[in-house]
């Protein structure tokens, strides 16, 4: 309707779509600040609640970390350290005055800190789950059903941490859960894909991907930076 994007977006929404679609940001060859800002920016167009932004940023961070050979054993601590380091970082060059639409937030830094605090809270749930790991338990009953961005991140993260060396099992654990299972499996699969690369996946799965040729062309273009 001709509105500026920060007026057209939903400031109260932190749905998991904010981080379901962020995987390409995590594999871009950009500096960490640009990656974080871009992850939040793409989320903000539809899910402008600060937790949607923070969860998308955190998801992209984990994908980048794993894609660059990050060790799984230290991943939870690195992820927490990153979240804490970003608590009051507001990417004004990308987000503009979006924070002003969030009533009762006195500053841009307070707005984004609210999102990071909710992400840090679900990381606590992941730590509790890993301390008493039960791979047969429904992950949604531990870290959340995944309809909202921070729970989608946490439950997908848990699915990956349950089976880091078995990417198909990661997908299975996300898909066979009681919550927003397709979203959880999508994000968990992005983690497993970044960690293992394409060679560890069943070739038949790859062959049967819908719109495979288009996706392959886009992936090749991202790798060669030949994107129009």
């Amino acid at each position: 309707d001709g509105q500026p994007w920060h007026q057209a977006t939903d400031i109260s929404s932190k749905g998991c779509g904010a981080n379901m679609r962020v995987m390409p940001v995590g594999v871009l060859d950009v500096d960490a600040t640009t990656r974080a800002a871009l992850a939040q920016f793409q989320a903000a167009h539809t899910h402008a609640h600060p937790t949607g932004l923070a969860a998308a940023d955190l998801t992209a961070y984990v994908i980048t970390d794993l894609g660059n050979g990050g060790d799984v054993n230290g991943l939870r601590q690195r992820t927490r350290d990153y979240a804490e380091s970003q608590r009051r970082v507001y990417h004004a060059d990308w987000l503009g005055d979006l924070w002003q639409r969030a009533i009762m937030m006195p500053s841009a830094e307070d707005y984004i800190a609210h999102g990071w605090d909710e992400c840090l809270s679900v990381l606590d749930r992941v730590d509790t789950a890993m301390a008493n790991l039960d791979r047969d338990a429904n992950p949604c009953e531990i870290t959340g059903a995944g309809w909202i961005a921070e729970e989608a991140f946490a439950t997908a993260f848990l699915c990956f941490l349950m089976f880091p060396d078995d990417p198909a099992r990661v997908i299975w654990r996300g898909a066979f859960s009681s919550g927003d299972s397709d979203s959880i499996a999508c994000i968990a699969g992005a983690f497993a894909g970044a960690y293992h690369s394409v060679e560890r996946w069943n070739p038949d799965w790859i062959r049967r991907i819908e719109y495979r040729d288009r996706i392959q062309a886009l992936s090749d273009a991202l790798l060669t930076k030949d994107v129009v």
Side-chain angles (χ1 to χ4, degrees):
D1 296 329
Q3 297 182 73
W5 73 266
H6 24 48
Q7 294 296 323
T9 188
D10 187 348
I11 195 67
S12 66
S13 176
K14 57 174 180 176
C16 62
N19 45 338
M20 275 184 70
R21 64 184 184 226
V22 78
M23 191 271 183
V25 177
V27 300
L28 291 175
D29 183 16
V30 295
D31 63 85
T33 299
T34 301
R35 183 201 67 235
L38 182 55
Q40 293 191 21
F41 182 65
Q42 65 80 34
H45 276 74
T46 51
H47 301 78
H49 189 286
T51 307
L53 276 62
D57 188 347
L58 198 59
T59 303
Y61 168 79
V62 172
I63 290 167
T64 299
D65 182 280
L66 291 171
N68 287 331
D71 175 43
V72 173
N73 291 330
L75 179 60
R76 281 186 288 142
Q77 187 59 54
R78 293 195 303 276
T79 302
R80 181 178 294 277
D81 290 345
Y82 177 76
E84 290 175 345
S85 75
Q86 298 299 301
R87 269 195 78 245
R88 298 186 68 80
V89 177
Y90 182 80
H91 297 282
D93 288 349
W94 292 71
L95 301 174
D97 62 0
L98 175 66
W99 70 272
Q100 295 183 13
R101 289 198 55 209
I103 300 171
M104 299 178 65
M105 291 293 179
S107 70
E109 291 76 17
D110 291 310
Y111 160 82
I112 200 63
H114 177 76
W116 284 110
D117 286 344
E118 291 200 329
C119 288
L120 285 162
S121 179
V122 294
L123 284 175
D124 290 341
R125 297 187 215 169
V126 174
D127 287 344
T128 298
M130 293 301 294
N132 304 279
L133 187 57
D134 181 357
R135 291 182 174 86
D136 295 322
N138 176 6
C140 293
E141 294 181 357
I142 306 169
T143 45
W147 303 103
I148 52 178
E150 75 272 30
E151 289 188 353
F153 167 80
T155 304
F157 196 39
L158 178 58
C159 290
F160 171 72
L161 293 171
M162 284 179 171
F163 306 101
D165 296 321
D166 189 345
R169 196 73 171 171
V170 171
I171 295 289
W172 168 85
R173 184 65 278 180
F176 282 84
S177 61
S178 62
D180 190 3
S181 54
D182 63 323
S183 303
I184 295 165
C186 171
I187 298 170
F191 296 154
Y195 186 56
H196 289 289
S197 77
V198 72
E199 287 76 16
R200 285 293 303 276
W201 297 93
N202 184 331
D204 190 52
W205 286 18
I206 298 170
R207 181 184 59 80
R208 293 166 57 194
I209 292 174
E210 190 173 14
Y211 305 118
R212 179 183 178 278
D213 291 344
R214 299 183 194 179
I215 295 170
Q216 185 69 59
L218 179 58
S219 298
D220 292 343
L222 286 169
L223 286 172
T224 59
K225 302 181 181 180
D226 187 26
V227 182
V228 177

